[in-house]
Amino acid sequence: MNLAHLFEYYLLLALGVLAAVLALLALIDAVRHPAANYLRENKRSKPFWMGMTAAATLVCVLSVLSGGGGGIFQLIGACIACVYLADVKPAVSGKGGYSY
């Protein structure tokens, strides 16, 4: 039984590190693009996405450093980072994305 708990701990730790890396990549990318690109593509504003990805990064990194499994806030942070990377990043970088 102890082996199962150890496996669960390391699995959740690895998923937490992955979520933190994704959130950090989203934050770095949000900083790189000019504010005009966000407004041109109707993707909220640059400060909005910088704030969301910064909060997601903070939550994910703190949950990894605390050694816990993360919980619901880490899941929300990972979702914010994934939404940015899947939808906003292609639009503001000029490499595709949806423009309604």
Side-chain angles (χ1 to χ4, degrees), residues 2-68:
N2 196 14
L3 185 62
H5 288 292
L6 191 62
F7 176 74
E8 178 187 12
Y9 171 77
Y10 284 117
L11 179 66
L12 290 176
L13 183 64
L15 290 173
V17 168
L18 179 65
V21 167
L22 283 175
L24 186 61
L25 288 174
L27 177 62
I28 291 169
D29 191 74
V31 171
R32 286 186 22 209
H33 298 293
N37 289 10
Y38 291 88
L39 298 177
R40 184 182 67 232
E41 296 294 332
N42 296 325
K43 297 293 181 187
R44 294 274 188 152
S45 64
K46 181 177 180 170
F48 173 82
W49 282 110
M50 285 179 54
M52 293 294 280
T53 57
T57 302
L58 180 67
V59 166
C60 290
V61 168
L62 286 179
S63 70
V64 168
L65 292 178
S66 70

